[in-house]
Amino acid sequence: SQTIHQWPATLVQPVGSPLSLECTVEGTSNPNLYWYRQAAGRGLQLLFYSVGIGQISSEVPQNLSASRPQDRQFILSSKKLLLSDSGFYLCAWSDRGRRAFFGQGTRLTVV
Amino acid sequence: QKEVEQNSGPLSVPEGAIASLNCTYSDRGSQSFFWYRQYSGKSPELIMFIYSNGDKEDGRFTAQLNKASQYVSLLIRDSQPSDSATYLCAVNSNAGKSTFGDGTTLTVKP
């Protein structure tokens, strides 16, 4: 069966520090991969999605970037965090653009 | 106009009642529709999906889709306190990109 791993679960980082969140998927090949951010009490904001290795689409211009170095690995990065980057970050994979399955999420607090 | 709109709630129903959650979307080319449940502090989990007009039932849950009206709903029969959560509507385009609504918070009172 397919599983998705996302880590860490919580993270507290100072303003201006770099960020790297990693997500890996097991049990499927060539999945669509997504990074979402959720502000408190709000829905999911799509940040990046990828349909294949090296193929990244950015939805919202901001202080973040994403990379897909391997088929089942998706990384969210920032060179310098801002206070506004705080939130709940969710990685997800979908079966060719249909149902999405989410990782446990990373709660990021920038202080 | 938001691409996917939901009433934010909160929606409060007594235990045993039917909870009705609604969602409208703007992209007429949308192909597939999903309902996710999210407990506080947790990641969303898929509970229903529907691709064709009409009703789809799974246990206590029924999803309803009307593409002409660009409307999708979720009915929860015999609501239980454990159903208390935020329900997210998601709509997929042809390209497979999911757009989520902001969610409706449901509270089921014992």
Side-chain angles (χ1 to χ4, degrees):
Chain A
S1 64
Q2 302 88 356
T3 56
I4 178 168
H5 303 280
Q6 181 185 346
W7 65 93
T10 59
L11 191 60
V12 179
Q13 292 282 100
V15 169
S17 64
L19 173 73
S20 181
L21 301 181
E22 189 166 343
C23 172
T24 59
V25 180
E26 296 177 357
T28 186
S29 296
N30 199 26
N32 285 2
L33 296 173
Y34 307 84
W35 279 110
Y36 291 91
R37 178 170 61 198
Q38 188 176 36
R42 299 299 302 277
L44 302 180
Q45 179 187 36
L46 179 63
L47 301 176
F48 301 95
Y49 72 99
S50 172
V51 298
I53 295 175
Q55 300 178 61
I56 310 293
S57 295
S58 173
E59 290 296 304
V60 183
Q62 53 199 314
N63 187 39
L64 301 169
S65 61
S67 61
R68 185 170 178 173
Q70 300 180 44
D71 181 44
R72 289 170 287 179
Q73 183 185 29
F74 205 24
I75 298 172
L76 182 70
S77 304
S78 174
K79 292 182 179 179
K80 288 186 178 181
L81 285 168
L82 305 172
L83 287 174
S84 58
D85 291 324
S86 294
F88 191 41
Y89 288 82
L90 289 156
C91 178
W93 75 274
S94 74
D95 48 356
R96 309 318 302 153
R98 292 201 160 192
R99 299 167 294 175
F101 301 91
F102 289 86
Q104 67 171 355
T106 297
R107 190 160 303 282
L108 171 67
T109 304
V110 183
V111 296
Chain B
Q1 181 192 6
K2 284 187 179 178
E3 292 181 57
V4 179
E5 297 213 42
Q6 297 181 251
N7 292 330
S8 61
L11 173 65
S12 182
V13 301
E15 185 173 356
I18 296 175
S20 178
L21 305 164
N22 304 317
C23 174
T24 58
Y25 60 95
S26 60
D27 182 1
R28 285 197 170 274
S30 299
Q31 294 294 308
S32 45
F33 308 85
F34 306 87
W35 284 99
Y36 293 84
R37 178 176 61 202
Q38 186 176 25
Y39 293 114
S40 180
K42 302 296 184 181
S43 58
E45 56 177 329
L46 180 70
I47 53 171
M48 287 288 288
F49 60 92
I50 187 167
Y51 303 142
S52 305
N53 277 330
D55 295 0
K56 179 181 179 182
E57 185 174 321
D58 183 2
R60 296 187 295 112
F61 299 98
T62 299
Q64 299 174 316
L65 175 62
N66 183 327
K67 288 187 177 181
S69 299
Q70 295 174 246
Y71 175 91
V72 58
S73 65
L74 178 71
L75 300 178
I76 306 175
R77 289 182 301 281
D78 188 23
S79 295
Q80 301 296 309
S82 59
D83 294 327
S84 298
T86 296
Y87 289 81
L88 300 168
C89 172
V91 175
N92 277 24
S93 66
N94 271 338
K97 187 182 78 170
S98 291
T99 302
F100 283 78
D102 284 343
T104 298
T105 300
L106 172 66
T107 301
V108 180
K109 296 185 175 180

